Structure formats: C-alpha cells, structure tokens
Amino acid sequence: MKPLGPIPPGFGMIEGQLAIGGRKVRELVAEAGMTPLFVYSADRIRRRVTDLLHTMPSTVALHYAVKANPYTPILNLMSELVDGFDIASGGELIMALSAGLDPSRISFAGPGKRIDEIEAAITAGVTLNLESEGEAVRALEAGERLGITPRLAIRVNPPFDLKGSGMKMGGGAKPFGVDAERVPAMARAVIASGAEWRGFHIFAGSQALSTPAIIEAQEQAMALAAQLAEQSGAALPHCNLGGGFGIPYFPGDEPLDIAAIGAALGEALERRAPALQDTQFCLELGRYLVGEAGVYLTEIVDRKRSHEELFLVVDGGLHHQLAASGNFGTVVRRNYPVAIATRMDKPADEVANVVGCLCTPLDRLAEKGQFPHADVGDLVAVFCAGAYGASASPAQFLGHGPAAEMLV
Ligand SMILES: *Cc1c(COP(=O)(O)O)cnc(C)c1O
C-alpha cells in the first residue's frame, strides 16, 4: 500500500457523494454532459485570495500567473480579485485582455517572445519583462516602428534559487532573465532609450513548501533589487518579487505558514533600502491561488485484476492530469490526493491502482492506494487539479480529446 496525498480542506459530502461548491459530483457531471470533467470552485478561489490578502502587507500587489490556469471564467473571476496578471505568451495576452483586465496591470515574461508577440504587447500597453539584451533591442525597435513608447522591465536571473522548490528558475545558468551582474548596464540603456521604465522582475522558483525558504528568497530578492537599483542610478518604480508558494500535493506535505511569510515581508519592507522607498512591490502566484480549488472527475470504465493487484481503469488520465501521473516535474512518483467521489461515506477497505485509459504504463493516477470498494460507473476525484491540469497536459495524445471544464 502507498499513501495518498492530503485532500485539501473545504469540500463537502452530500448523500455519500463529494460536493464541490455545495453540489454533488453526479449532478455536476450530468450538467457538463460528460466525463472527464474539471470542476473549479469559485468560492475556494475567492477565499484563498481573500485570506492571502489579509496576511500580506497591504502595499504589496497580488498578480495571478495565468499559465497556472487560463480557463476564461477563472480569468474573469480573477480580474475582480487580484491587482494584475502575469502572462507568458501572445495567446495568454489575448486571454487576459478579453477577461477585461487593464493592460497597464499586465506583465509579460517568458523566454523566446516572437516579434509579433512583442508588438502585440506594446500595442496593448502591457509591460514586457525583458529576458535578454537582444529582446530589449527588438522591443525598442518594435516601439519605434509602432510609434508607441514601450513599457519595459528587466527579468533578473538572481544569483540564488528558491530552496526546496519543485522548479528552480534562478541561480546559475538559466534560460530565464538576465544575469544580475549585467542588469545595471542594461537598465541604464533601457532608461536612456526613452522607454517607460517599469523595474525588475525576480522569480527564483516555484512550488516551495518551506516557509523559511520563501521568507529568505523574498529578502534576497529585495536586497538584490536595492543593489541593482543603486547600480542602475535610477529610482525603481516596480519590483516583482516572484512567488513560488506551493500547495501540498503529496503524503506528508504541510501547507505554508502564510501569516509568517506576510509578517516577514512586512518587516523587510519596513527596513528596505532608500533606493526602494517608492517602489511598488508585487507577488505573482499561480497554483497557490487556484490549485486546491480544482477537482478532476473521471469515471471508472473497468475493474480488473492482474496477478495480485486490482486495477480501476478510468476514462481520464495523464492526457489531462500529467502532473498527477507523476510525469511533470517530479523525480519520484508519489500519489496525489485521490478519492472515490461517489463513495465518500464508505470505509477504505481495498487496495487499488487507479489507471488512466491511455495505452502507456505511465498513465497512473494512484498507485496502490487504499479506497472503498468501487465499480464501473463510480466517479474518481483527483484533487489539487486547479493548476497545471487541463492546459498543461497532452490532451491530443492518443486522441481522447480535452476534458470538460466548469467553474461553480
Ligand atoms: C510558472 C510561473 C509562475 C507561476 O508559478 P506557480 O508555481 O504556479 O505559482 C509565476 N511566474 C513565473 C515567471 C512563472 O514562470
């Protein structure tokens, strides 16, 4: 037997069924007309953002990283809740603009921006987080061609990473951002060009569950911003301190202590360097805001045995849930939180593998988990499915097509 990840708090049970947003899973599937189905709880997202805003210093803005979940109804909801959007492609730019967010509150990071993406961002008035000196030249040339002053920030490749993070995006040679020691010269050139100077973007990693590591990375980012601002010889209007707040996916994972992070950030702001006195700071978070609000529902289509093991075969799989299958940024496969959503009131009395319908041994949603007895027609819930699910999985692989999505 292998343990399952922790089911996030805030879901209910009605008549033995998992309830999301106060509605039974059978009812949600009937409304969608199909499985597999991602259900996102608007209430959970709203509460998560509100709780976070209560603990973070009020002067720090909150941005949503669209790549975590670009589902349009979620962007519409987020546009009421957060101060800005961070996007990472021209496609996300279109989605963010159609959600109605003020372009002056959108910033665009990501290595390898094409000319058409740079032009679209400048035309819209979105801030470009420049990833290289070459990109700065292309952005300035595009601004000249378009007759529009580009809004430019520099993404810094910090000399530190976010310790314990699932995906390290700083420290050493990286495709992201500009090495810190080259930033002051580049900042001076961007400012001298007449572009609108928007400051620094410092993103050191993702999916960290260590509270001290996040506090340390934020302090390091502020110290680096102060040093680079002084060396650039100009005031720093904005500074994106990154994010990296993780959520518990696996057995033994503990949630972050957000109150401690907020308090430490408040103290760091109090004693910030003179170069940062008038800087507007922001945090950019993706999965922390939406990850635990989503559930992936998939129906059992076969129940079979092989040697001593029981297999529950579902109509979904890694083509929608690459991360839960253990094939997206993990080294050792561990179980996500998974449950039989139509038997929430029954004792877990058998050990089963929940496998997807793809013809590959990689397609496992739960390995040797302890579940209540389940049959063909029962629904399986994979939790923590609100981020990097539908949009971060190979939906075309094996031709099953995309899952349905629903915000309730
Ligand atoms: C991926 C990414 C994020 C979001 O990361 P989460 O782990 O979802 O919070 C934020 N900013 C940048 C630059 C990213 O690349």
Side-chain angles (χ1 to χ4, degrees), residues 64-68 86-88 109-110 131 155 169 176 201 203 205-208 240 242-246 284-289 387-388:
Y64 174 56
V66 171
K67 86 170 192 276
D86 287 312
I87 55 169
E131 303 269 352
R155 179 168 181 182
M169 295 176 78
F176 312 108
H201 174 226
F203 187 82
S206 191
Q207 179 52 20
N240 182 329
F245 294 18
E284 62 172 330
L285 299 175
R287 81 183 77 223
Y288 186 79
L289 303 185
Y388 306 109

Side-chain angles (χ1 to χ4, degrees), residues 44-337:
R44 302 303 314 158
I45 295 173
R46 219 176 265 122
R47 240 186 260 192
R48 178 48 72 97
V49 174
T50 315
D51 289 351
L52 184 68
L53 291 176
H54 278 134
T55 55
M56 291 298 137
S58 59
T59 53
V60 175
L62 179 62
H63 287 201
Y64 174 56
V66 171
K67 86 170 192 276
N69 191 330
Y71 181 51
T72 302
I74 287 188
L75 298 186
N76 291 335
L77 173 63
M78 280 298 180
S79 71
E80 298 162 19
L81 299 175
V82 300
D83 302 297
F85 281 1
D86 287 312
I87 55 169
S89 74
E92 288 188 354
L93 172 62
I94 292 167
M95 292 190 254
L97 292 176
S98 58
L101 208 87
D102 178 356
S104 71
R105 297 196 295 170
I106 301 175
S107 60
F108 182 179
K113 299 181 192 75
R114 296 188 310 265
I115 296 288
D116 63 298
E117 294 177 305
I118 291 172
E119 288 180 348
I122 293 173
T123 303
V126 161
T127 294
L128 285 166
N129 291 325
L130 298 170
E131 303 269 352
S132 71
E133 288 90 346
E135 194 172 280
V137 171
R138 289 188 284 279
L140 290 169
E141 285 171 358
E144 222 156 90
R145 266 197 311 282
L146 295 164
I148 303 171
T149 305
R151 318 178 100 157
L152 302 179
I154 297 175
R155 179 168 181 182
V156 181
N157 174 24
F160 56 87
D161 64 13
L162 176 52
K163 291 185 185 61
S165 59
M167 301 218 185
K168 296 192 192 308
M169 295 176 78
K174 289 283 180 295
F176 312 108
V178 177
D179 295 350
E181 54 273 20
R182 299 209 309 272
V183 166
M186 182 172 162
R188 283 194 295 273
V190 167
I191 294 164
S193 74
E196 183 179 335
W197 174 232
R198 302 283 289 177
F200 299 133
H201 174 226
I202 306 173
F203 187 82
S206 191
Q207 179 52 20
L209 282 175
S210 159
T211 300
I214 289 194
I215 291 173
E216 188 189 345
Q218 289 181 338
E219 286 174 357
Q220 286 175 305
M222 281 184 67
L224 179 63
Q227 180 201 328
L228 296 177
E230 278 163 25
Q231 292 170 354
S232 309
L236 191 67
H238 292 267
C239 182
N240 182 329
L241 292 171
F245 294 18
I247 60 173
Y249 288 104
F250 302 116
D253 282 357
E254 294 283 344
L256 286 168
D257 182 351
I258 291 301
I261 294 170
L265 186 54
E267 284 163 29
L269 282 172
E270 291 280 311
R271 52 182 155 73
R272 68 188 184 276
L276 304 181
Q277 280 314 312
D278 299 319
T279 304
Q280 165 71 63
F281 291 93
C282 79
L283 296 173
E284 62 172 330
L285 299 175
R287 81 183 77 223
Y288 186 79
L289 303 185
V290 295
E292 289 171 283
V295 181
Y296 177 68
L297 297 172
T298 175
E299 189 175 305
I300 298 176
V301 291
D302 199 7
R303 176 187 162 97
K304 60 189 278 190
R305 285 190 185 274
S306 172
H307 296 272
E308 284 76 47
E309 291 193 29
L310 172 64
F311 290 84
L312 301 172
V313 187
V314 297
D315 65 357
L318 73 74
H319 54 308
H320 308 140
Q321 274 293 295
L322 191 62
S325 77
N327 295 293
F328 190 61
T330 41
V331 181
V332 180
R333 195 199 172 285
R334 290 174 294 167
N335 285 327
Y336 262 45

Side-chain angles (χ1 to χ4, degrees), residues 21-45:
R23 298 176 62 195
K24 291 180 279 188
V25 285
R26 289 268 189 221
E27 195 183 306
L28 295 167
V29 167
E31 185 179 318
M34 67 175 278
T35 51
L37 168 66
F38 285 93
V39 183
Y40 311 115
S41 162
D43 179 56
R44 302 303 314 158
I45 295 173

